[in-house]
Amino acid sequence: MGACAAALLAGLTGTAHAVDNLPPNQPLVEDLQSGGKPCATGDDTVYVPTPPRLSAVLYDPEEDNQPSESSPLSGEFEAWWKDADGTEQRRSYTTITLTSGQRQYWTMPSDLPANTVISWHVRANDGQATSTWSDEGDGSVCSFVYDDTSPERPTISSPEYPTPDEVFWVDGVGVWGHFTVDSPSDDVVSYVYSFLGGPNGTVTADQLGGAVTIPYLPLSAGPKYLTVRAIDRAGRSSTTTRYEFNVQSGRAPVARWKLDDPAGSRTAAAETGTPARAGSGVTFGGSAPSGTTAGTAAALDGSGHGFLTPDAPAADLRKTFAVSAWVRPAETDRTMTVASQDADGRPGFTLGLRPQDSGPVWSFVIGGAGVSGGAPETGEWAHLLGMYDAETGKAHLYVNGHEAGEAVAATPAEAAGAFQIGRARGPVGYRDRWHGDVSDVQVHDRVVVPDEVTELARRKPSLLGHWSLSSVTDGASPEQSGGSPLQLGEGASIHRASQDSCIPEIDPDCTYVPPPLVGDGHLALDGDSGYATASGPVVDTGDSFTLGAVVRLADSEPTHPMTVLSQSGEHTDAFKVRYDPSAHSWQLVMPERDEAGAPEKVVSQVTAADGGEGQGHRLTVVYDDGTDTVKLYLDGYTNAAATATLPDGWHSTGALQIGRGKVADGWGEYLHGDVDEVQAYAGALRDQDIVGLGAETNPCLC
């Protein structure tokens, strides 16, 4: 009667408690770890380098939990093993009490025996009941071995790159090497390696204690070394082995036809390899791409007689090879072949161009796989390099020194027929004949590494004009090499360093004049009508060019955009470099077309909070026609926002302007400030040259 009343009273007061306490859940094997490694046993037993910290996530049944209540649990760990005489040893540990769902830990004692299989399990305790052990029923015991011995340091050998004691200098840049790494220890699972300058990484052995082979492609010549550490299954590391070797420069081409033979020749001399006979549709003595080592070029008329061939193969296509050439197509609306090598009724590879719906592209095809990219333009020189890398099994295409498209896997067939320039083998005769100019065809039997590709495709810029703006004669400031001077307009003057300069803070009656930007003087512009100009277009805006200047604004907060450099077309500026105070940035601005009133577009810009007080800013604009990109540099550096794609450059005909640009009603955007060291180049300067632009010297020695 009393018990019933008590139960009724409890119900009326609104309190409720579980009538029976349920035991905690059995710990799950997937929630158990030995030293941070998943629970395993048998052949998968975990190896650890130190006495590990065991852990488990423990849970109490949800039925035991009421709102705003927690379920406190502790973990009871137990480990056991057999000592040297076969006697079983056991250790146990009870953790502190934590909330259900938290991970519980036990750090094993430091006196554990090494190289012994130690097993363990765990159960949860809520203070009233315990769970079943984690290895009962469908559970599993966890096992580990404490390994206290590091592996022996590895050995290294290489057939391609022996040590200097064996061969002092060996091939070479662009030639793959293979380094076999092994360790006397039979429990090694991987090796951590690092080559001088890269690459570095970890390679896993196929089997416990097995050796590995690490491929390596030298990208530069000189002394090299490889360091390797062996890692065993417990994660212990060996000491480091260092392997030294010396890499030679890359091998010269196995075949090269510069195609600079005299007009009227019927054979193209070979710098290396076999001379190539020329069909009657080949004309020697044409102009070669400027800024290269090529002397002249050969013109192929696209007919059945427009070809050159050594009547022999130039490369083993089943091995690594590369073929390159300077080319200038006379048309781009059909498939044309620059170079190929005969196979049975088809070409083993082709390098050339092909039309697409979106426009023509450069193409390299081998073994039925092709890679394409770039944009061929009629009458424009381009450097092509197609390469098959037998080590990786991939084909690559480079256009003007930059990789085009994505490398593709290829399986070349044997093509032991003759090498061809200007045509490709078909089922019946030859086809896809080249119409245009070709110069400096090279074939390599190795990888041509990126730096070499860049150098092969480099067109050395030529200095068009350098105006130091330190003197003026009859209203003109001379060009350093005697070229066209800059004519100074009204509101423009040459300011030179003066002994009479003063400091307003000391002499309130004087007006401070800043010192020359570079050297002994600079061009000072009044912002109202001041400008300077060079007669005629200084740079060809339809081809690669570089134009730079040093500038300092006179106003800390200009009220309108001010142009530093511009070159006009018939109706608009082809480009102008200006400071826009509303955006606090230097901008490269170009019109959409050369028409009166054509909209202007900011194609690149670099943010700068000031206009260059003190020493000013060095501004450079670089247009690379080979990659169809234009970049704006500030103080020698650029960024993604300052780079734009310009596939259709147009040839401007107007004069180079310093300090003004075209606006809707004539000239405007006059610069109030100082300009110095104006330099112009035909060709795109490299980043390392631009860093030095703005001094009194030619940074690239063009």
Side-chain angles (χ1 to χ4, degrees), residues 344-380:
D344 185 14
R346 56 190 172 87
F349 80 88
T350 59
L351 176 67
L353 68 82
R354 59 185 175 85
Q356 288 185 332
D357 292 341
S358 58
V361 292
W362 298 111
S363 174
F364 178 59
V365 178
I366 180 171
V371 56
S372 60
E377 295 182 36
T378 301
E380 181 177 297

Side-chain angles (χ1 to χ4, degrees), residues 522-563:
H522 62 238
L523 175 67
L525 302 171
D526 65 1
D528 293 324
S529 60
Y531 71 95
T533 182
S535 60
V538 172
V539 295
D540 181 357
T541 55
D543 203 348
S544 298
F545 72 87
T546 302
L547 193 60
V550 182
V551 61
R552 174 175 57 204
L553 301 187
D555 304 318
S556 59
E557 296 183 3
T559 59
H560 60 82
M562 295 190 293
T563 294

Side-chain angles (χ1 to χ4, degrees), residues 8-93:
L8 179 60
L9 179 62
L12 293 174
T13 58
T15 60
H17 297 280
V19 176
D20 297 312
N21 176 65
L22 298 176
N25 296 339
Q26 180 184 18
L28 300 176
V29 173
E30 55 262 36
D31 291 333
L32 311 183
Q33 295 180 352
S34 302
K37 298 180 179 181
C39 173
T41 192
D43 293 338
D44 298 321
T45 292
V46 169
Y47 283 73
V48 294
T50 57
R53 184 164 71 158
L54 311 182
S55 70
V57 181
L58 306 179
Y59 295 94
D60 204 36
E62 294 182 1
E63 290 84 350
D64 277 2
N65 301 330
Q66 298 298 324
S68 302
E69 290 185 358
S70 62
S71 298
L73 296 173
S74 61
E76 297 179 4
F77 288 84
E78 185 177 54
W80 63 92
W81 65 90
K82 290 185 178 180
D83 59 21
D85 62 5
T87 302
E88 184 176 83
Q89 304 292 331
R90 284 186 177 265
R91 299 280 180 89
S92 60
Y93 175 78

